[in-house]
């Protein structure tokens, strides 16, 4: 049996987690909106057309933030098409995903849905086929009270009070040649700076996310971030990162090592932000918005066969298995470990499209990846502790990968300590110890584990509980030490609390 030691110290805190680290994403893509969160003709929907069963699952995760409306979609979007009387909304061809967009769901439906989902919007603007003028107009529609053309237009659509949306993305993946209105770093940096400046004139309290690279593999990675930030450092609060991993070669150790690549990606972007900061002799720090991250590969072959110009097809419908849940767990641990700089992150996406929640016309169910995401969101809102793990590593395409990923979070006020851990050992249990002498009086509340012998096991509508978390009795505290045994290929949440809180 392998062994591992975890070292934490109350005095070494990385940062308090920003709850927006557990955000997600709804794009006008496939069945995310139509047939996902909104399906007026379905008896499972409420009077606004929002799927009640989906809302329930979203509230279970406590999703704090939802990015909208794209994604690639936003780069060709006219938001005005999706507001006002529905019978006057145009159907248009949608070139990001080669479909037809009916515009029956738009900005106001999304904002009403956010209320029901108990979440906040992260709104993206079109800097692909549109620009500064459009950025000004949508800000006026959303954040001005009344007495101007666009604020009065909103009021004429039945929305009296401004939304005061505070978080905005300045376009999407503008470095990608697939993007409508793709730009060079200089072109994008300039328009991001100017759009941001105009948006801030309307509402000085907004926060802005500039587009970073679409992935670490982009040929322009690094120089893109540097040039963009040279231009828009004054306006940007965050720079975005996007990444998706897959296991097409069926090499699980390499796949599970992808969090090493994610960690490298984050470290590199931090270095670039700080390099520009130093060059500008600026006091301002740019933080990171990891606003697209997930596993994505299962559906790619299928999607190539899709018919064009249909509405809401089954697109990007990855069916996630147990090993995907393990990697999602490791990616969450990686994000938490960088809580001092990664303030926003969005699991891409939320419903049907590469999502933890799936729907059919007769119900909704949780994919395997739902569980680590939900656990991190519910139990991860606290101070992240510097967590050092002493464990064997293995060689992977990304370099040496540890057999154990772990991070601890502490809530001093509530006197709780939570350890998230993924064992990447595929065959044997692992004994893990952690010195807890600084946590006298703490007891184990529960040890949740997601374990499955079959790495390829999935949940389906017919068998929705094939991969679900259970409880382990293998954790104990002895002589000030947490001693636990992690099952091979497992996601674990070990929750401790001072005994005062348990009475
Ligand atoms: O999330 C799916 C797509 O992935 C998004 O539209 C795009 O931004 C990224 O390439």
């Amino acid at each position: 049996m392998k062994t591992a030691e975890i070292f934490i110290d109350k005095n070494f805190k990385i940062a308090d987690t920003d709850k927006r680290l557990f955000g997600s994403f709804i794009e006008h893509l496939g069945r995310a909106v139509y047939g996902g969160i909104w399906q007026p003709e379905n008896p499972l929907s409420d009077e606004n057309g929002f799927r009640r069963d989906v809302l329930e699952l979203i509230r279970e995760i406590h999703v704090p933030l939802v990015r909208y409306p794209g994604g690639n979609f936003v780069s060709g979007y006219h938001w005005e098409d999706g507001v006002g009387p529905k019978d006057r909304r145009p159907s248009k061809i949608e070139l990001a995903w080669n479909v037809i967009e009916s515009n029956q769901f738009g900005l106001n439906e999304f904002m009403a849905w956010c209320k029901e989902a108990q979440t906040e919007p992260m709104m993206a603007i079109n800097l692909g086929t549109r620009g500064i003028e459009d950025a000004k107009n949508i800000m006026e529609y959303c954040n001005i009270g009344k007495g101007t053309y666009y604020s009065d237009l909103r009021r004429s659509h039945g929305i009296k009070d401004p939304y005061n949306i505070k978080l905005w993305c300045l376009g999407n993946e503008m470095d990608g040649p697939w993007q409508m209105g793709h730009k060079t770093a200089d072109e994008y940096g300039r328009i991001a700076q100017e759009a941001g400046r105009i948006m801030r004139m309307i509402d000085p309290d907004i926060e802005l996310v500039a587009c970073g690279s679409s992935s670490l593999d982009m040929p322009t990675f690094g120089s893109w971030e540097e040039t963009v930030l040279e231009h828009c450092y004054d306006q940007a609060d965050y720079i975005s990162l996007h990444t998706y991993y897959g296991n097409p070669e069926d090499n699980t150790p390499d796949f599970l090592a992808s969090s090493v690549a994610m960690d490298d990606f984050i470290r590199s972007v931090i270095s670039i932000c700080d390099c520009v900061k130093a060059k500008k002799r600026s006091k301002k720090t740019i933080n990171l918005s990891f606003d697209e991250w997930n596993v994505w590969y299962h559906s790619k072959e299928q999607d190539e066969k899709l018919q064009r110009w249909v509405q809401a097809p089954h697109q990007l419908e990855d069916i996630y298995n147990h090993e995907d849940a393990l990697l999602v767990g490791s990616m969450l641990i990686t994000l938490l470990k960088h809580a001092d700089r990664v303030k926003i992150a969005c699991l891409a996406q939320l419903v049907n499209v590469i999502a933890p929640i799936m729907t059919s016309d007769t119900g909704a169910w949780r994919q395997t990846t739902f569980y680590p995401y939900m656990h991190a969101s519910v139990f991860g809102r606290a101070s992240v502790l510097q967590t050092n793990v002493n464990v064997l590593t293995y060689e992977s395409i990304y370099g040496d990968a540890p057999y154990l990923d772990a991070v601890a979070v502490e809530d001093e006020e509530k006197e709780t300590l939570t350890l998230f851990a993924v064992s990447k050992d595929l065959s044997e249990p692992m004994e893990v110890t952690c010195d807890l002498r600084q946590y006298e009086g703490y007891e184990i509340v529960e040890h949740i584990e997601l374990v499955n012998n079959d790495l390829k096991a999935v949940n389906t509508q017919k068998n929705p509980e094939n991969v679900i978390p259970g409880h382990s009795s293998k954790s104990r505290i002895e002589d000030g030490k947490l001693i636990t045994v992690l099952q091979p290929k497992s996601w674990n949440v070990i929750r401790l609390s001072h005994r005062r809180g348990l009475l």
Side-chain angles (χ1 to χ4, degrees):
M1 186 186 316
K2 284 192 192 61
T3 57
E5 245 181 311
I6 296 177
F7 301 96
I8 53 173
D9 185 321
K10 272 184 153 306
N11 299 300
F12 295 158
K13 295 205 164 93
I14 295 175
D16 289 345
T17 48
D18 187 320
K19 67 175 182 186
R20 298 175 302 175
L21 202 59
F22 310 110
S24 192
F25 178 24
I26 287 284
E27 178 167 1
H28 279 249
L29 161 53
R31 298 189 306 125
V33 171
Y34 304 106
I37 61 171
W38 191 73
Q39 202 174 27
E41 68 286 1
N42 192 304
L44 293 167
S45 299
D46 65 14
E47 64 287 359
N48 296 313
F50 304 142
R51 281 280 295 256
R52 279 202 189 90
D53 49 349
V54 175
L55 282 168
E56 240 167 69
L57 293 180
I58 291 170
R59 288 192 289 250
E60 205 176 298
I61 302 171
H62 292 264
V63 178
L65 179 81
V66 176
R67 185 166 174 252
Y68 174 86
N72 296 337
F73 170 81
V74 79
S75 296
Y77 186 43
H78 286 205
W79 62 271
E80 304 90 324
D81 293 342
V83 294
K86 290 197 190 249
D87 56 352
R88 283 196 238 142
R89 298 191 192 178
S91 274
K92 286 193 170 168
I93 50 163
E94 199 291 284
L95 295 171
W97 303 104
N98 295 326
V99 292
I100 291 180
E101 170 58 51
S102 69
N103 284 305
Q104 291 302 296
F105 187 98
L107 198 157
N108 293 321
E109 286 81 16
F110 176 69
M111 293 304 292
W113 177 84
C114 279
K115 223 180 206 176
E116 293 302 311
Q118 292 160 15
T119 193
E120 294 290 325
M122 178 186 197
M123 195 64 73
I125 59 162
N126 176 356
L127 289 186
T129 60
R130 301 184 110 184
I132 300 166
E133 175 70 18
D134 177 49
K136 176 169 84 58
N137 296 345
I138 190 171
M139 278 298 296
E140 187 182 317
Y141 186 90
C142 290
N143 285 19
I144 292 287
K146 60 179 178 183
T148 66
Y149 176 77
Y150 282 103
S151 60
D152 288 343
L153 183 65
R154 184 198 67 241
R155 289 167 69 88
S156 78
H157 295 155
I159 318 294
K160 195 167 147 268
D161 297 322
Y163 291 123
N164 288 323
I165 298 172
K166 293 299 172 204
L167 185 60
W168 295 81
C169 298
L170 295 166
N172 177 69
E173 294 190 347
M174 299 306 305
D175 62 325
W178 58 87
Q179 203 70 217
M180 285 176 266
H182 160 232
K183 293 180 173 41
T184 65
D186 280 306
E187 287 166 349
Y188 172 68
R190 286 286 303 130
I191 198 171
Q193 163 72 12
E194 286 307 301
R197 196 164 67 81
I198 302 292
M199 290 166 82
R200 276 227 163 80
M201 284 179 186
I202 296 175
D203 185 345
D205 299 331
I206 55 172
E207 288 195 298
L208 296 171
V209 183
C211 293
S213 296
S214 305
S215 82
L216 187 58
D217 299 332
M218 294 300 289
T220 49
F221 171 71
S223 64
W224 172 273
E225 280 75 3
E226 188 178 0
T227 308
V228 165
L229 286 177
E230 297 272 1
H231 285 294
C232 69
Y233 204 89
D234 294 345
Q235 293 304 333
D237 300 290
Y238 307 91
I239 186 112
S240 72
L241 296 83
H242 290 179
T243 203
Y244 296 96
Y245 300 111
N247 189 12
E249 311 293 335
D250 199 9
N251 181 333
T252 301
D254 273 350
F255 173 63
L256 294 182
S258 307
S259 53
V260 173
M262 186 188 204
D263 188 75
D264 281 347
F265 189 12
I266 293 173
R267 284 176 200 279
S268 308
V269 175
I270 292 172
S271 307
I272 300 163
C273 291
D274 293 348
C275 164
V276 181
K277 175 181 180 174
K279 286 208 282 188
K280 285 186 176 281
R281 292 151 182 87
S282 174
K283 294 267 176 280
K284 176 180 169 187
T285 299
I286 301 286
N287 283 319
L288 277 53
S289 171
F290 216 127
D291 44 48
E292 287 188 31
W293 67 271
N294 206 347
V295 172
W296 173 15
Y297 74 104
H298 298 282
S299 58
K300 284 198 168 155
E301 216 181 297
Q302 174 62 27
D303 285 347
E304 277 162 23
K305 299 179 203 144
L306 280 176
Q307 204 196 326
R308 282 157 41 112
W309 317 133
V310 294
Q311 282 186 43
H314 289 252
Q315 246 169 336
L316 278 65
E317 296 202 1
D318 274 37
I319 306 301
Y320 290 120
N321 58 31
H322 181 60
E323 68 180 10
D324 298 329
L326 298 181
L327 182 61
V328 164
S330 281
M331 291 171 91
L332 284 158
I333 289 172
T334 308
L335 291 168
L336 281 164
K337 283 183 150 181
H338 288 285
D340 54 335
R341 294 302 290 275
V342 184
K343 299 293 177 188
I344 300 166
C346 303
L347 175 71
Q349 300 191 6
L350 188 55
V351 182
N352 286 333
V353 171
I354 44 174
I357 298 169
M358 294 300 289
T359 70
S360 75
D361 288 348
T362 55
W365 63 99
R366 302 168 188 82
Q367 295 233 53
T368 59
T369 53
F370 179 97
Y371 296 104
Y373 177 40
M374 184 260 283
H375 292 149
S377 174
V378 172
F379 301 122
R381 298 174 193 205
S383 304
V384 184
L385 299 179
Q386 180 77 47
T387 309
N388 294 337
V389 179
N390 192 357
V391 69
L392 279 179
T393 57
Y394 62 90
E395 269 178 45
S396 79
I397 44 167
Y398 303 113
D400 288 346
Y403 278 102
L404 176 69
D405 283 336
V407 70
V409 301
E410 181 195 6
D411 188 324
E412 263 187 289
E413 218 171 282
K414 293 189 185 143
E415 296 186 304
T416 62
L417 180 72
T418 303
L419 185 72
F420 299 104
V422 172
S423 171
K424 301 181 187 175
D425 191 311
L426 300 184
S427 49
E428 288 182 351
M430 185 187 296
E431 190 185 74
V432 179
T433 54
C434 179
D435 191 325
L436 289 183
R437 277 174 300 177
Q438 286 180 328
Y439 295 91
E440 223 196 303
Y442 277 58
E443 290 177 8
I444 292 164
V445 179
E446 59 178 346
H447 174 168
I448 305 169
E449 60 178 9
L450 189 68
V451 189
N452 206 291
N453 272 336
D454 180 4
L455 284 166
K456 308 298 176 191
V458 298
N459 292 339
T460 57
Q461 186 170 21
K462 274 202 184 129
N463 193 4
E465 302 202 339
N466 192 28
V467 185
I468 53 167
H471 279 94
S472 163
S473 53
K474 299 244 165 60
S475 287
R476 63 184 199 279
I477 298 177
E478 223 174 82
D479 299 331
K481 233 182 201 187
L482 168 71
I483 305 173
T484 188
V485 176
L486 306 185
Q487 294 304 306
K489 30 190 187 319
S490 62
W491 158 256
N492 301 269
V493 186
I494 304 176
R495 297 180 53 224
L496 298 104
S497 173
H498 196 286
R499 69 173 70 94
R500 265 190 293 269
L502 297 173
L503 296 175

